[in-house]
Amino acid sequence: MNPNIIKAAIGGGVATGVALVAAPLIVGAMGFTAAGISAGSIAAKMMSAAAIANGGGVAAGSIVAVLQSIGAAGLSFVAKVGLAFVCGPVGALIGLKIP
């Protein structure tokens, strides 16, 4: 089998796996948690700015609302597919550059 195909497959798999694990961890570290937004966190500052910009509320579908949804429930199936769709080919290209 062609070694480039093996390197691309490994790179794509690793990149996708890392993205699917890292994304929820990063969102949680920002302060978007299952219990709500953590006081004093980056998430709290983002929520405050969004509320000020929207006259006191956080708009549905805004970045703050989406990140809180991820923090509370994890990534949706569609989000996981999207990450895999983007990260897989990028990882494959990186894998091809490894000697």
Side-chain angles (χ1 to χ4, degrees), residues 2-99:
N2 186 339
N4 285 335
I5 293 173
I6 295 170
K7 289 194 280 187
I10 290 171
V14 169
T16 301
V18 168
L20 292 176
V21 170
L25 292 176
I26 292 168
V27 169
M30 290 174 64
F32 296 99
T33 69
I37 292 180
S38 300
S41 66
I42 294 170
K45 290 174 179 51
M46 289 175 67
M47 183 176 174
S48 175
I52 291 169
N54 289 316
V58 176
S62 68
I63 188 70
V64 173
V66 170
L67 289 172
Q68 180 52 40
S69 175
I70 293 169
L75 293 170
S76 68
F77 177 75
V78 172
K80 289 177 183 176
V81 170
L83 273 174
F85 185 76
V86 171
C87 295
V90 171
L93 289 173
I94 292 169
L96 286 173
K97 299 297 181 188
I98 296 172

